[in-house]
Amino acid sequence: MSIEAVTEAADGPRSKRPAILAAAMERFGEVGYEAIKWSEVADRVGIGQTALYHYFESKAHCLLTIMRLALRNSDEAFRKAVEDTDSSLAALRAAVRAAYALTPLEVQQNRILQANISILANERSSKREENERGLCRELVAKIERNWSELLEQGMAGGEFAKQDPLLMARSLLGLIVSVWRWYRPDGPLTLETIAAFVENSCVLMATGDKPRE
Amino acid sequence: MSIEAVTEAADGPRSKRPAILAAAMERFGEVGYEAIKWSEVADRVGIGQTALYHYFESKAHCLLTIMRLALRNSDEAFRKAVEDTDSSLAALRAAVRAAYALTPLEVQQNRILQANISILANERSSKREENERGLCRELVAKIERNWSELLEQGMAGGEFAKQDPLLMARSLLGLIVSVWRWYRPDGPLTLETIAAFVENSCVLMATGDKPRE
């Protein structure tokens, strides 16, 4: 499995960081973040406790890193999707599609991000955790800005209905990410079907200026 | 403050249960569920530890009870909102409006529900916690069914576009509850403004059968 989704530029080829993050994501998925013991992740990766704690001082530190990388991936995927589109509507469609064009590991990463997003609300007492939390919050604001700006352009150009762009951005994002709560790879709906449905819904919301009676 | 939102038929007039739940909700809101010590809730209510543990054996037991009552309130509000409506569209509008016609305590309860919803995914080792978790899961399924059935009726009657009703129900609910992630009573948008926006969005999604190019 490619672990690009949890790899950073600073990770050298011998770094165990990406492998630890991938193993932790597996365990969080299997039994939930709350239930796992941080130290058991070392066994799964095949490293000792000292090595584990060299990379991550706690379960929360690891979780916040997984979340930051998920947000980084979303931000990058958005920017890549909208470049070279020739209208705001095409950009909106491409951005929604990109939100679902994911590897199984990235799907799992998004589930973990959404399931634990409330951890971003309160200050952490550990410095390294608080640092990751701050970066996550900046990325959340950046992603909301990406979508707001896209919507504002479409409103200015007459493609989208005039609305509060931030409210519309948060609503589209809320709809898009709500899928990670219930989607299962072995469930009855494919990600492709869901993506087409959500894309259509987002277009209706952005373009429809008044309810039809 | 009315604490009807966390009161049950079985609570007699001398029961401390509703007051404990209300105090816990305040603390969860102030510092987050993860950070609070369960025993400190007793001080806030002005009762001893023994009384506290008589009602709730753990922080998770209390959280799951708050969540179950939030889901109970949503289910009841939905059914009350849609009765006596004369079309599926009117029922949809009323159901969305009802989701935001809340007291400040209910708003806080919904924030807690949404912030901690992932706790419902994994089995609890405590019997009382597991019992509450099971009831929560039943209510989630019931609420999804409420919305699916409303949508199916509207599709059958030609008021709504033909779509997968469960996918549409989950999407509308995902959009509706996403508000609890970012809404703050002292923020720039009123709940009234947000409710009108989301109502309009839900109508567009349910009635719009094809994207407009």
Side-chain angles (χ1 to χ4, degrees), chain A:
Chain A
M1 190 191 289
S2 155
I3 52 173
E4 216 178 288
V6 286
T7 302
E8 295 186 79
D11 291 318
R14 294 178 56 197
S15 171
K16 296 284 183 200
R17 270 177 94 265
I20 294 169
L21 290 167
M25 281 164 60
E26 265 180 45
R27 289 302 288 151
F28 292 166
E30 285 159 7
V31 297
Y33 169 72
E34 213 201 350
I36 79 154
K37 282 198 182 62
W38 179 229
S39 58
E40 78 188 46
V41 172
D43 296 337
R44 186 160 290 218
V45 187
I47 59 173
Q49 298 295 326
T50 315
L52 182 71
Y53 283 90
H54 165 72
Y55 292 104
F56 297 103
E57 66 177 35
S58 65
K59 187 166 72 164
H61 181 207
C62 174
L63 172 65
L64 286 160
T65 305
I66 290 167
M67 292 171 71
R68 173 175 57 79
L69 293 172
L71 291 162
R72 174 204 68 177
N73 297 346
S74 290
D75 175 47
E76 285 176 0
F78 176 94
R79 285 185 290 118
K80 211 170 154 186
V82 301
E83 70 183 10
D84 304 326
T85 50
D86 56 8
S87 69
S88 297
L89 185 60
L92 175 63
R93 288 185 180 282
V96 179
R97 286 284 176 164
Y100 296 105
L102 303 177
T103 66
L105 187 73
E106 287 169 324
V107 167
Q108 172 66 358
Q109 192 175 16
N110 275 290
R111 283 187 60 185
I112 292 169
L113 170 66
Q114 295 307 326
N116 297 286
I117 196 104
S118 59
I119 201 177
L120 301 184
N122 302 104
E123 210 177 307
R124 312 293 309 173
S125 52
S126 139
K127 204 166 168 180
R128 288 170 82 185
E129 291 175 16
E130 182 60 12
N131 180 49
E132 287 289 355
R133 188 182 79 100
L135 294 170
C136 283
R137 288 173 66 102
E138 281 169 27
L139 280 163
V140 168
K142 184 155 183 247
I143 289 167
E144 286 184 353
R145 242 180 358 254
N146 289 342
W147 288 79
S148 288
E149 285 169 8
L150 189 165
L151 291 163
E152 259 178 308
Q153 276 176 15
M155 291 176 199
E159 288 183 81
F160 297 153
K162 286 218 170 3
Q163 298 271 12
D164 179 331
L166 183 58
L167 177 56
M168 179 65 83
R170 285 177 168 167
S171 299
L172 297 182
L173 283 164
L175 169 62
I176 290 166
V177 305
S178 69
V179 167
W180 306 124
R181 284 203 180 165
W182 56 264
Y183 169 73
R184 297 295 174 269
D186 55 356
L189 293 177
T190 65
L191 213 44
E192 183 60 26
T193 301
I194 296 165
F197 175 87
V198 176
E199 179 190 335
N200 190 33
S201 297
C202 289
V203 171
L204 287 167
M205 282 172 64
T207 60
D209 50 349
K210 56 178 179 289
R212 281 154 283 172
E213 296 295 339

Side-chain angles (χ1 to χ4, degrees), chain B residues 57-76:
Chain B
E57 66 177 36
S58 65
K59 187 166 71 165
H61 181 208
C62 175
L63 172 65
L64 286 160
T65 305
I66 291 167
M67 292 171 71
R68 174 175 57 78
L69 294 172
L71 292 163
R72 174 203 68 175
N73 298 346
S74 290
D75 175 46
E76 284 176 2

Side-chain angles (χ1 to χ4, degrees), chain B residues 178-207:
Chain B
S178 69
V179 166
W180 306 123
R181 282 203 182 167
W182 56 263
Y183 170 73
R184 297 295 174 271
D186 56 356
L189 293 177
T190 66
L191 213 43
E192 184 60 27
T193 301
I194 296 166
F197 175 86
V198 175
E199 180 190 334
N200 189 34
S201 297
C202 289
V203 170
L204 288 166
M205 281 173 65
T207 60

Side-chain angles (χ1 to χ4, degrees), chain B residues 81-130:
Chain B
V82 302
E83 71 185 8
D84 305 325
T85 50
D86 56 6
S87 68
S88 298
L89 185 60
L92 176 64
R93 288 183 179 282
V96 179
R97 285 285 177 165
Y100 297 105
L102 304 177
T103 66
L105 188 73
E106 288 169 323
V107 167
Q108 172 66 357
Q109 192 175 15
N110 275 290
R111 281 187 61 185
I112 291 169
L113 170 67
Q114 295 308 325
N116 297 286
I117 196 103
S118 60
I119 200 176
L120 301 184
N122 302 104
E123 210 179 307
R124 311 295 307 174
S125 52
S126 139
K127 205 167 168 178
R128 289 170 82 185
E129 291 175 17
E130 182 61 11

